Amino acid sequence: MPITLEHLQSPTDEARALIAELDAELAGPYSAEQRHGLDISRIFRPAIHFFIARLDGDPVGCGGVAFEDGLAEVKRMYVRPRARGQGVAQALLARLESETRARDFDRLVLETGDAQKPAIRFYQRAGFTPCPAFGAYAKMRPSEIERSLFFEKRIW
């Protein structure tokens, strides 16, 4: 089945549904204080490029990259469980890396939670390595980031 990516300029019902599913998944293992995802209103700003992934036309995933504070940061990466293992996350990440290179950033960073074992393995296989807290995370209270893991990938 073909995977297509659509760059969204504004929120859609599909984007809202995907973000809501991601939030519900994260609400289980993490307290509200430990969840750092952007809400739907903050995703659609000029400094963030956000994409919906479709598998044979069906919206099955999303992800964005924020270009703020001198960083390129992966934001709101999610693939519906039924579409996992079908190349959707790889397609999204490849597009985010391409967007990063196009803006002359040499590093892509991300924050994820310690309970997100499949995501951690995915990012590590994709070439991400652990790094210190960055940007706004570096200024947060320890209790807010005690479940957070930080990764970076050099993009040349």
Side-chain angles (χ1 to χ4, degrees), residues 2-155:
I3 298 169
T4 58
L5 301 177
E6 178 185 356
H7 181 205
L8 297 183
Q9 303 290 330
S10 59
T12 65
D13 289 343
E14 293 169 337
R16 285 183 185 88
L18 287 161
I19 296 300
E21 290 172 32
L22 172 57
D23 287 341
E25 189 172 294
L26 297 175
Y30 308 104
S31 69
E33 174 183 60
Q34 295 165 336
R35 293 191 308 266
H36 308 296
L38 299 176
D39 66 32
I40 196 82
S41 67
R42 292 182 56 211
I43 291 170
F44 295 96
R45 296 178 297 165
I48 300 176
H49 293 241
F50 188 77
F51 300 88
I52 292 281
R54 296 179 188 282
L55 190 57
D56 202 29
D58 183 32
V60 294
C62 61
V65 58
F67 300 102
E68 299 176 312
D69 302 324
L71 295 169
E73 181 183 356
V74 174
K75 293 289 192 183
R76 307 308 268 166
M77 184 88 158
Y78 175 71
V79 176
R80 287 181 163 149
R82 71 178 184 273
R84 292 177 186 168
Q86 298 183 53
V88 176
Q90 292 88 340
L92 279 163
L93 186 58
R95 180 62 184 266
L96 301 182
E97 289 179 8
S98 176
E99 295 287 325
T100 300
R101 273 191 223 77
R103 281 154 191 79
D104 293 325
F105 284 81
D106 65 358
R107 179 174 83 130
L108 184 59
V109 296
L110 66 89
E111 178 270 343
T112 192
D114 60 0
Q116 305 312 109
K117 303 294 186 202
I120 294 164
R121 286 190 300 273
F122 167 75
Y123 290 124
Q124 289 175 325
R125 281 192 312 268
F128 283 82
T129 57
C131 69
F134 51 81
Y137 303 108
K139 299 173 186 136
M140 290 181 176
R141 294 187 320 269
S143 63
E144 292 176 295
I145 60 170
E146 68 186 349
R147 305 271 324 260
S148 292
L149 301 174
F150 302 96
F151 292 90
E152 68 180 352
K153 181 177 182 178
R154 295 293 172 177
I155 307 287

